[in-house]
Amino acid sequence: MSDLPPSSIPPVPENTPYTPPSASIIPPAPAGELALTPNDKTMGMLCHLLALSGYIGIPLGSIVGPLIIWLTQKEKSAFADHHGKESLNFQISVILAILCCVPLILLFGLGFLLMLVVGIYAFVMTIVAALKANEGIRYTYPYTLRLIK
């Protein structure tokens, strides 16, 4: 099983609990932050899921939903504060990317395709972030402008 000789493998104490390898990828809570409650996870997840309200036709719903959760929960939970800022920063970045597609529609007609790609990417990444928040992981969106610190 191992390339090491049996004498060089340190013995495992008998009362050591088994820790699955996947448990090591979840970062611990930052110093000074208490363990997460189910409410913290729910509010973190809602910060992301309410951003999907823009897809059902609510004007600026992708910004207003996360903004409401973030403003009401940022003082109560550092976890919800983190996810609220992440969601807002990502949704602002998506809106800016879509606005950059408008001139491309007028010039080349490729803006429609690019808008579709941005929309699908935003939808998928929002779902991924909501799932990570529900697991208690401090998720950070890739390719996002950090406007709210």
Side-chain angles (χ1 to χ4, degrees):
M1 236 174 19
S2 176
D3 294 339
L4 300 174
S7 62
S8 65
I9 299 174
V12 177
E14 290 182 25
N15 295 332
T16 304
Y18 173 73
T19 304
S22 63
S24 63
I25 62 169
I26 299 173
E33 184 177 321
L34 301 174
L36 296 175
T37 65
N39 187 48
D40 291 338
K41 292 179 184 180
T42 301
M43 290 300 134
M45 182 179 63
L46 276 177
C47 287
H48 301 290
L49 289 181
L50 286 175
L52 296 177
S53 62
Y55 284 94
I56 60 172
I58 298 174
L60 294 178
S62 61
I63 298 287
V64 174
L67 182 63
I68 290 171
I69 296 293
W70 179 60
L71 289 175
T72 59
Q73 299 297 316
K74 68 180 181 178
E75 301 296 326
K76 298 174 187 172
S77 167
F79 188 74
D81 179 46
H82 168 78
H83 281 282
K85 286 189 255 184
E86 279 299 312
S87 182
L88 285 169
N89 283 328
F90 182 69
Q91 296 306 322
I92 291 169
S93 298
V94 167
I95 288 172
L96 291 175
I98 288 176
L99 288 176
C100 290
C101 293
V102 173
L104 295 176
I105 292 172
L106 300 174
L107 293 176
F108 306 112
L110 295 175
F112 288 118
L113 180 62
L114 191 55
M115 272 188 182
L116 181 66
V117 169
V118 169
I120 292 171
Y121 174 76
F123 184 81
V124 169
M125 293 308 293
T126 301
I127 298 294
V128 168
L131 291 173
K132 294 294 184 182
N134 192 41
E135 293 172 5
I137 298 171
R138 291 175 158 261
Y139 184 75
T140 303
Y141 286 101
Y143 312 114
T144 302
L145 299 172
R146 307 279 176 227
L147 302 173
I148 300 172
K149 305 247 182 215

